[in-house]
Amino acid sequence: MQQIAIFGFGTVGSGVAQVIDVNCSQIEKAFPEGIHVKYILDLRDFPDSPYADRVVHDVDIILNDPEISVVCETMGGVEPAHTFTKRALEKGISVCTSNKELVAAKGPELIRTAREHNCSYLFEASVGGGIPLLRVMNTSLSQEKLTRITGILNGTTNYILTGMESGDRSFDEMLKDAQGRGYAERNPEADIEGYDAARKIAILASLLTGKTVNYENVLREGISEISEADFAYARAMECGIKLLSDAFLDDAAEVHSVTAPFLVSRESPLFGVSGVFNAVLLHGNMVDDVMFYGRGAGKEATASAVVSDIIDCAKNRGSWIRVDWADDAAAMAPAGNDRRRFFVRVSAADEEKAYKVFGTDITRISAPGMVGEFAFVTAPVTEERFSGMASEIDIISRIRVY
């Protein structure tokens, strides 16, 4: 029986303990030796929990126990998670995590530390929740030259946008709904302003290139400005509105990356992804497009992905599971160079000016009940050029077109 510890007994941490107990027979099929949670590190006590006798408040109790082979870090944030993780790795204890903030900030350093001390640092649950994405990239698609990753990587924003689309409800109404259901935090900024999804696509882009993509270099925009009127036009265009994260390599091996709301055509496989579900499209040079779909968030789904990493680490105790992600900075293409179409709404009084500014090849869009506006889709234009054009006219809203 291999002994493990859990750092942080919140939603995901408690889910990890639950998965190990409930699915113990299934886990033993994959790893006959079995896995047991010996310690739980938290500042709090949990007197009503069946795991109350395993809670400790001193990390050294865990790190100095030679029986501990794997630590599951579900604390969240960069510190003290980074310090505790690095100390564990330096002692040859493998670490699995769902902490995308830490992975995005310190991933290559912790991977290197694990390699130097013959253990592993795995983070399947940090990107797609319950979707087995990173493992597939490293195994089933290891023969592919992956060139693009596009997906819906945040369940909270997808839930909000789905409710706005299907229920004709406002952003504020859907945000309160999401908070009431536990999908959104009391402070929802990381989700609704795109920070969470930007971190995830930065991690995926780093694995795509083998070098580091800083999430702060990802062109980022949230969903808080999306309105019911935008959805009225989207329906008229047979489109949905999704917070998409996209990263691809151009011919010069430079990374293009964005997280922002996009109009998504009904013909796209991402159109039907609703509620808290996530989906990711991977493009390989031989396999073409492969799509992965599942719960991107939630206690059980995320914990299940963490436990899959625990099993891999337990099977490979004393050795490093290869993860190709170096400290070197990836070459980033200037965000202003990306070309795409934009959906734009302006006042009806500015129709003539819109043609003058954006050109005569724009496509007019009409929607039932929408009066006093002129809406259109531009021809393909760079982000930089569009920004210059938009500064010449008062825009009610604009959304990129996928």
Side-chain angles (χ1 to χ4, degrees), residues 269-343:
L270 295 173
F271 174 86
V273 180
S274 61
V276 296
F277 283 85
N278 285 187
V280 181
L281 284 170
L282 298 179
H283 182 83
N285 64 329
M286 296 297 173
V287 76
D288 200 26
D289 288 332
V290 181
M291 181 170 166
F292 299 85
Y293 172 87
R295 287 192 177 273
K299 176 178 179 177
E300 291 83 3
T302 305
S304 178
V306 175
V307 174
S308 72
D309 279 346
I310 293 173
I311 293 171
D312 273 1
C313 288
K315 287 180 176 179
N316 292 276
R317 186 174 186 177
S319 62
W320 177 63
I321 298 174
R322 185 183 186 90
V323 179
D324 291 320
W325 180 358
D327 290 283
D328 315 56
M332 299 293 294
N337 291 354
D338 291 347
R339 288 177 60 84
R340 53 179 55 96
R341 295 180 300 148
F342 290 80
F343 166 73

Side-chain angles (χ1 to χ4, degrees), residues 170-189:
S170 71
F171 169 81
D172 289 338
E173 288 175 317
M174 282 308 304
L175 175 57
K176 289 180 181 178
D177 184 312
Q179 289 172 321
R181 295 174 183 267
Y183 298 148
E185 301 290 340
R186 183 175 300 176
N187 179 358
E189 181 182 21

Side-chain angles (χ1 to χ4, degrees), residues 152 156-175 222-244 260-266 270-275 343-345 365-370 373 375 396-400:
I152 297 167
T156 299
T157 52
N158 203 49
Y159 177 80
I160 291 170
L161 293 173
T162 298
M164 292 178 69
E165 178 180 19
S166 60
D168 200 25
R169 299 169 69 184
S170 71
F171 169 81
D172 289 338
E173 288 175 317
M174 282 308 304
L175 175 57
I223 67 167
S224 57
E225 299 301 319
I226 301 297
S227 69
E228 301 101 306
D230 292 321
F231 274 105
Y233 285 106
R235 284 190 287 269
M237 299 166 66
E238 295 193 335
C239 290
I241 300 175
K242 305 291 185 183
L243 183 74
L244 293 188
F262 279 82
L263 281 164
V264 177
S265 166
R266 184 178 293 273
L270 295 173
F271 174 86
V273 180
S274 61
F343 166 73
V344 182
R345 293 165 52 210
I365 306 296
S366 299
M370 301 308 301
E373 293 186 3
I396 299 171
S397 73
R398 58 102 179 94
I399 304 173
R400 294 166 179 85

Side-chain angles (χ1 to χ4, degrees), residues 233 343-355 358 362 364-365 370-376 390 392-398:
Y233 285 106
F343 166 73
V344 182
R345 293 165 52 210
V346 299
S347 167
D350 284 333
E351 178 176 347
E352 184 177 340
K353 187 175 183 180
Y355 280 108
F358 290 95
I362 61 178
R364 181 170 191 159
I365 306 296
M370 301 308 301
V371 295
E373 293 186 3
F374 176 62
F376 58 93
E392 298 178 34
I393 189 170
D394 290 331
I395 289 179
I396 299 171
S397 73
R398 58 102 179 94

Side-chain angles (χ1 to χ4, degrees), residues 3 38-39 59-69 91 93 317:
Q3 304 294 332
K38 185 172 184 179
Y39 298 113
V59 70
D60 287 326
I61 294 174
I62 296 169
L63 299 183
N64 292 330
D65 187 332
E67 287 192 334
I68 298 299
S69 61
K91 285 181 171 286
I93 301 171
R317 186 174 186 177

Side-chain angles (χ1 to χ4, degrees), residues 116 120 129:
E116 291 170 351
S120 298

